[in-house]
Amino acid sequence: MAPDENPLRLGMRRERIAEPCIMVIFGASGDLSRRKLMPALASLSARRLLPPEFTVLGVGRTSWSDEQFRQAMQEAVAEFADRELAAGDQWKAFAGGLMYQCADLGSADVYGELARRLADLDRIRGTGGNRVFYLAMPPSMYAPIIGGLGEAGLGSGPGTGTRIIIEKPFGRDLASAQALNRDVNRVFDESQVYRIDHYLGKETVQNLLVFRFANAFLEPTWNRQFIDHVQISVAEDIGIGDRGGYYEEAGVLRDMFQNHLLQLLCLVAMEAPVAFEADAVRDEKVKVLRAVRSLDAGAHRVHAVRGQYVAGQVLGRPAGAYRDAGGVHPASVTPTYAALKLHVDNWRWQGVPFYLRSGKQLARKTSEISVVYRQVPHLLFGGVARADLVPNVISLRIQPDEGIALSFEAKRPGTSLRMRPVEMDFSYGSAFGLLEMPNAYERLLLDCMLGDSTLFTRRDEVEAAWRVLQPVLDAWDHATEEGLEFYESGTWGPAAADDLLRADGRRWRRM
Ligand SMILES: NC(=O)c1ccc[n+]([C@@H]2O[C@H](COP(=O)([O-])OP(=O)(O)OC[C@H]3O[C@@H](n4cnc5c(N)ncnc54)[C@H](OP(=O)(O)O)[C@@H]3O)[C@@H](O)[C@H]2O)c1
């Protein structure tokens, strides 16, 4: 049978259409909704993956009628997505299902009215009581909204068509995440809860699982016997923009590590799940987080670097210091960069360090995982020094220029035996003829509507991630300027991060 006739492959390729439902977007007038959610929903609608009954009920304090909401969203889709999505019959069909409710969600009175509006819409639109609540709101509003939904009887229960999507950040430390989980689970069964980390919706992140578990050649070497260490880098070239108030409270560990970087660590380090199913995948990720060696008892002093950007040039343009940004205290010690050395204490990874780094206003925007192999055990080419031999590296590029590269030693042409590292490079764009990678939110919103939570974070998983970082957060939240490493904007971060690896005889990969 030709591979394409294989019914299993055909089954995987067939895209499922969501059931009729109302998606209630709390914070529909906000940035996330305009920039990501509406373009993703408009695109799903254009691809006919949403049923004609699909309805959005946007909620915010901005005083809009349904028609004004439609107009604002049309402008947003035109600005942040393909202009064609916001035009013609395609847009008309989607916009017919856009409704708006002006409400101050801090007031307990509004939820009864919301319940009535939803019941009306169910009748008019034929959505059968299926609802997805999306919290695109400031995190301080999560608990009041969840409580309000519960009071108004809108939580329903397991097995019903009600779901809730909760944006990051999920808590600001372990205790607050546990408290939020309790609030959520008082109203919603865990099977109804979708904690979103848009990184997991990225094609290349999902491809990491396919690469590891759909190919036989990798597994025998994916362990401490062959791998020397792993590097996970998520670099941003932008600063904090006008989000100073938020960032002062968050810092890089809460903003990037608790979610994106630890998720990437899980996907690299996890054992093969028994199936690509929500609980099977998440069980394995939780095991990784539980196996991460604690950074308490002062370990963070040796295994963690915190930095903050000062003025410099990013991609040839002048870039200001963090302390000069709006909403930032002039003597702020909030870290905008961190590098951590973690160990995963289990049979597969004992002794293999995982170096994680992320920062703002760095040399360029890029996310990459590098799996660096050990040196060969014995050198048989005379005249080649061990130090000249570059170890094999598998680089998984998450963004941009998504793809996978394997570097290995090759003989230079000529009569003498000299070698140099070369690369086998797979690029997503050219292999699949893609001009642009699909939007992560499209995949995740559709998955939620289909009831598939594989790519969302479970309660124990989010708490386990906070537990990994808590000792460092405790130390850094009370730290002074001492030990804060300032780095020039447009560089790859502070020299202390290089020293972290140099102390182990290693160095960061050039990106
Ligand atoms: N923006 C992004 O790209 C992004 C990415 C990842 C995660 N997130 C997360 O998504 C959430 C929303 O972020 P955002 O950037 O969209 O924030 P934002 O632009 O500040 O929008 C906040 C939204 O909440 C509404 N709101 C605030 N208080 C309200 C109240 N009492 N009653 C009713 N509505 C209220 C605002 O409505 P009015 O203005 O009409 O009052 C607005 O629609 C945050 O948790 C953020 O961390 C955002």
Side-chain angles (χ1 to χ4, degrees):
M1 191 188 297
D4 276 354
E5 289 163 21
N6 180 332
L8 266 179
R9 275 181 175 272
L10 291 175
M12 277 177 68
R13 268 204 322 234
R14 200 176 302 132
E15 297 201 81
R16 286 168 59 205
I17 298 176
E19 293 286 308
C21 75
I22 305 176
M23 181 170 287
V24 183
I25 302 183
F26 295 113
S29 46
D31 182 69
L32 179 71
S33 178
R34 296 172 55 250
R35 208 180 266 279
K36 301 287 182 193
L37 305 184
M38 283 301 158
L41 291 171
S43 169
L44 287 173
S45 163
R47 290 167 56 206
R48 300 191 192 288
L49 292 169
L50 300 180
E53 298 87 349
F54 177 76
T55 304
V56 170
L57 179 62
V59 186
R61 285 172 305 195
T62 303
S63 166
W64 276 335
S65 63
D66 289 346
E67 198 42 49
Q68 285 169 320
F69 176 55
R70 285 175 199 138
Q71 255 171 34
M73 294 305 112
Q74 187 172 17
E75 284 160 23
V77 173
E79 183 178 351
F80 296 112
D82 188 344
R83 291 196 79 83
E84 275 181 26
L85 281 180
D89 291 346
Q90 207 160 262
W91 174 256
K92 257 191 228 146
F94 175 64
L98 299 186
M99 316 291 167
Y100 186 77
Q101 177 104 5
C102 173
D104 181 346
L105 293 158
S107 151
D109 305 337
V110 300
Y111 295 90
E113 202 179 314
L114 183 68
R116 283 190 290 281
R117 179 93 195 258
L118 287 173
D120 283 349
L121 285 175
D122 273 338
R123 221 180 25 255
I124 300 164
R125 304 276 306 164
T127 38
N130 297 328
R131 281 121 199 210
V132 175
F133 296 109
Y134 198 120
L135 299 189
M137 297 282 294
S140 57
M141 291 298 296
Y142 292 173
I145 294 175
I146 290 161
L149 292 175
E151 286 291 308
L154 289 169
S156 300
T160 65
T162 299
R163 289 161 199 149
I164 183 163
I165 304 181
I166 306 175
E167 262 296 341
K168 72 155 207 177
F170 194 93
R172 67 178 318 275
D173 54 17
L174 176 59
S176 57
Q178 286 170 326
L180 181 55
N181 273 329
R182 281 195 296 275
D183 287 341
V184 174
N185 289 145
R186 227 172 264 136
V187 178
F188 295 96
D189 184 77
E190 183 60 25
S191 62
Q192 299 174 277
V193 183
Y194 292 71
R195 295 173 194 79
I196 197 165
D197 178 348
H198 73 271
Y199 245 61
L200 292 181
K202 286 182 185 290
E203 288 290 330
T204 33
V205 173
Q206 294 164 53
N207 188 46
L208 181 50
L209 291 179
V210 173
F211 182 58
R212 283 196 58 198
F213 301 126
N215 294 297
F217 73 93
L218 214 57
E219 172 58 22
T221 66
W222 204 258
N223 56 50
R224 62 189 299 276
Q225 256 115 43
F226 292 88
I227 292 174
D228 179 72
H229 72 279
V230 177
Q231 300 184 12
I232 302 178
S233 303
V234 177
E236 296 183 285
D237 54 6
I238 51 169
I240 51 149
D242 55 9
R243 298 172 74 219
Y246 157 77
Y247 205 85
E248 278 284 90
E249 287 294 309
V252 68
L253 289 181
R254 293 184 173 91
D255 193 43
M256 300 300 287
F257 279 71
Q258 189 275 336
N259 33 67
H260 309 328
L261 277 97
L262 288 182
Q263 283 294 329
L264 295 179
L265 167 76
C266 287
L267 297 177
V268 174
M270 69 194 258
E271 298 299 316
V274 289
F276 191 58
E277 282 168 6
D279 278 333
V281 170
R282 299 184 301 180
D283 284 347
E284 296 307 331
K285 290 201 287 176
V286 171
K287 283 186 209 162
V288 173
L289 292 169
R290 290 213 179 116
V292 174
R293 190 182 302 166
S294 170
L295 286 175
D296 59 8
H300 58 83
R301 264 180 240 121
V302 218
H303 294 307
V305 172
R306 68 188 172 114
Q308 188 187 84
Y309 60 82
V310 296
Q313 289 226 331
V314 179
L315 301 168
R317 280 190 293 276
Y322 175 71
R323 286 178 172 183
D324 294 335
V328 173
H329 191 279
S332 170
V333 292
T334 301
T336 61
Y337 176 100
L340 299 184
K341 174 180 166 184
L342 298 179
H343 283 279
V344 179
D345 283 334
N346 61 18
W347 276 57
R348 186 185 286 268
W349 296 114
Q350 191 54 240
V352 178
F354 286 74
Y355 301 100
L356 278 56
R357 65 174 164 165
S358 179
K360 290 211 171 279
Q361 227 150 274
L362 296 176
R364 69 189 169 83
K365 179 180 169 70
T366 177
S367 301
E368 188 169 312
I369 300 169
S370 300
V371 178
V372 182
Y373 277 73
R374 287 178 185 276
Q375 288 283 22
V376 291
H378 170 63
L379 275 184
L380 53 98
F381 304 107
V384 179
R386 181 165 283 273
D388 294 339
L389 213 54
V390 179
N392 299 130
V393 180
I394 295 180
S395 309
L396 302 128
R397 297 188 302 272
I398 311 291
Q399 64 181 19
D401 185 22
E402 292 82 354
I404 300 174
L406 165 65
S407 79
F408 56 95
E409 290 287 339
K411 181 185 172 304
R412 283 175 191 266
T415 46
S416 65
L417 210 156
R418 290 188 305 142
M419 45 187 101
R420 81 167 167 86
V422 293
E423 273 197 350
M424 278 199 294
D425 200 338
F426 150 73
S427 149
Y428 242 90
S430 51
F432 293 104
L434 290 175
L435 293 177
E436 210 178 300
M437 296 302 279
N439 175 334
Y441 277 93
E442 271 181 51
R443 166 71 196 259
L444 295 173
L445 290 175
L446 185 62
D447 276 5
C448 173
M449 287 185 256
L450 293 171
D452 182 351
S453 54
T454 310
L455 300 176
F456 295 82
T457 322
R458 204 170 56 189
R459 175 182 181 147
D460 51 349
E461 191 180 347
V462 80
E463 291 181 9
W466 279 117
R467 208 167 275 120
V468 167
L469 294 180
Q470 196 60 51
V472 195
L473 288 169
D474 287 342
W476 289 6
D477 282 351
H478 301 105
T480 60
E481 195 172 301
E482 192 189 337
L484 180 65
E485 308 284 341
F486 292 97
Y487 62 98
E488 197 181 324
S489 294
T491 64
W492 284 108
D498 299 331
D499 298 339
L500 181 73
L501 270 70
R502 195 173 298 123
D504 296 341
R506 303 183 174 106
R507 57 191 164 89
W508 292 107
R509 300 245 317 144
R510 258 219 326 264
M511 291 193 298

